[in-house]
Amino acid sequence: MLLVPVLLGVSIAVFLLVHLAPGDPVTSQLGLYPSPQTVARLRHSLGLDDPLPVQYIIWLGRVLHGDLGNSLYAHAPVTDLILQRFPTTLALTVASTIFALVIGIPLGVVSATHRDGIVDHIGLILSMIGVSIPVFWLGFLLILALAVSIQIFPPGGSISTYGPIALVLPSVTLGASFVGVVVRFTRATMLEVLGQDYVRTARAKGLSEMRVNYEHALGNALIPLTTVVGLQVGLLLSGAVLTETVFSLPGLGLLMTDAVAARDYPLILGSVLAVAVLVVLVNLAVDLLYGVLDPRIRYD
């Protein structure tokens, strides 16, 4: 129900921020000393001489008809540019999420089942480090260690050039902070679930500790963790801007960086709107996934 209002609010906020930010796409295209007549002519052709509310209504009308406009610096339809770059960003986000869940969930479970032990302290320290390290700094470290010194992975480039291996270092870089979040949240929810009566009953029936932890406790702990995963997708997509820039990965994040540098209003608005749609759809999928994880949850 809230999907349309959320997207409408995002479009208004981004439209205002883009047009009120310093810089002018007209002067960016024409150079340092254009004539006033040339500037006025280009501003009129781009519709930038209209009031902001009028510009927004015209842009929104085109969007509702599936037209995101043309890029000012690439001279190509914004929709085509987004569709070309979007699969790379989607692959990076999925790979980072898988990396975070594969590492974070087992480490969080082990930390909870060995509370206040050495493993628990190591897990908490690693999660704190993962959350604290800046994305760009970790990316440069991984490039220096594994691409320059040892030369195991490519230092950057597209998937079409190097294959899926080009996503390894960017996925680790982008997923490191997510690992820390998953570890801490899994540990907290597991500690809460392990104190429930049905877990003690399962132990009293003679079930193995592994079966109790992973079948009975973890299954219920995954429900609130699913919410965290859905919320983190937006952060991963925002972190993809820095990650793709560091690794020269031609995805949507790098496209947005180039668009901002060129003051390309249509491309900025189209890219942000595409990211907003993805985030909203992921959170909608998370809500629907609740009914799969817990049959007691029903949507009327």
Side-chain angles (χ1 to χ4, degrees):
M1 293 294 293
L2 296 178
L3 188 147
V4 174
V6 168
L7 292 179
L8 184 62
V10 169
S11 67
I12 294 174
V14 174
F15 190 89
L16 291 176
L17 288 175
V18 168
H19 283 76
L20 296 178
D24 188 358
V26 174
T27 55
S28 299
Q29 287 192 357
L30 296 179
L32 295 177
Y33 304 105
S35 65
Q37 295 81 5
T38 304
V39 172
R41 190 182 307 113
L42 183 57
R43 290 186 66 85
H44 179 72
S45 64
L46 296 176
L48 298 177
D49 54 352
D50 295 324
L52 279 182
V54 176
Q55 293 185 44
Y56 174 76
I57 293 174
I58 294 175
W59 174 78
L60 183 61
R62 292 175 179 172
V63 170
L64 294 177
H65 287 85
D67 181 14
L68 296 178
N70 293 321
S71 170
L72 300 182
Y73 86 96
H75 304 291
V78 172
T79 303
D80 294 344
L81 295 174
I82 292 175
L83 292 178
Q84 291 173 6
R85 301 291 191 95
F86 188 74
T88 299
T89 299
L90 183 61
L92 175 61
T93 304
V94 171
S96 302
T97 303
I98 293 174
F99 168 77
L101 296 179
V102 169
I103 301 297
I105 291 178
L107 189 56
V109 173
V110 173
S111 295
T113 55
H114 296 78
R115 184 177 183 180
D116 296 328
I118 296 178
V119 177
D120 186 21
H121 291 305
I122 293 175
L124 291 177
I125 292 173
L126 291 177
S127 65
M128 187 177 300
I129 292 174
V131 173
S132 303
I133 294 181
V135 171
F136 65 90
W137 189 71
L138 178 59
F140 286 132
L141 284 182
L142 292 177
I143 291 175
L144 181 62
L146 301 178
V148 177
S149 299
I150 306 180
Q151 297 182 356
I152 299 177
F153 301 102
S158 63
I159 302 175
S160 60
T161 302
Y162 295 101
I165 196 173
L167 286 176
V168 174
L169 294 185
S171 300
V172 173
T173 301
L174 185 58
S177 61
F178 195 7
V179 170
V181 173
V182 172
V183 170
R184 296 173 71 87
F185 203 86
T186 303
R187 178 183 182 273
T189 53
M190 280 292 294
L191 288 175
E192 181 180 353
V193 171
L194 288 173
Q196 299 296 321
D197 292 337
Y198 68 87
V199 175
R200 288 193 290 266
T201 301
R203 288 199 182 99
K205 291 181 178 180
L207 297 180
S208 64
E209 194 67 20
M210 175 143 326
R211 187 175 178 184
V212 170
N213 293 334
Y214 286 91
E215 183 176 336
H216 293 270
L218 182 59
N220 290 279
L222 286 178
I223 297 175
L225 181 61
T226 304
T227 304
V228 175
V229 173
L231 295 175
Q232 284 291 316
V233 169
L235 297 177
L236 289 178
L237 290 171
S238 63
V241 175
L242 285 175
T243 305
E244 291 177 4
T245 302
V246 170
F247 290 95
S248 299
L249 194 64
L252 192 57
L254 188 58
L255 182 67
M256 294 173 63
T257 303
D258 296 337
V260 171
R263 302 295 190 273
D264 193 337
Y265 289 173
L267 188 53
I268 296 173
L269 293 170
S271 301
V272 174
L273 186 62
V275 172
V277 170
L278 178 61
V279 172
V280 170
L281 291 179
V282 168
N283 283 277
L284 177 61
V286 168
D287 290 340
L288 297 177
L289 189 59
Y290 289 152
V292 177
L293 295 175
D294 190 348
R296 296 172 298 177
I297 300 177
R298 290 290 180 267
Y299 298 98
D300 297 327

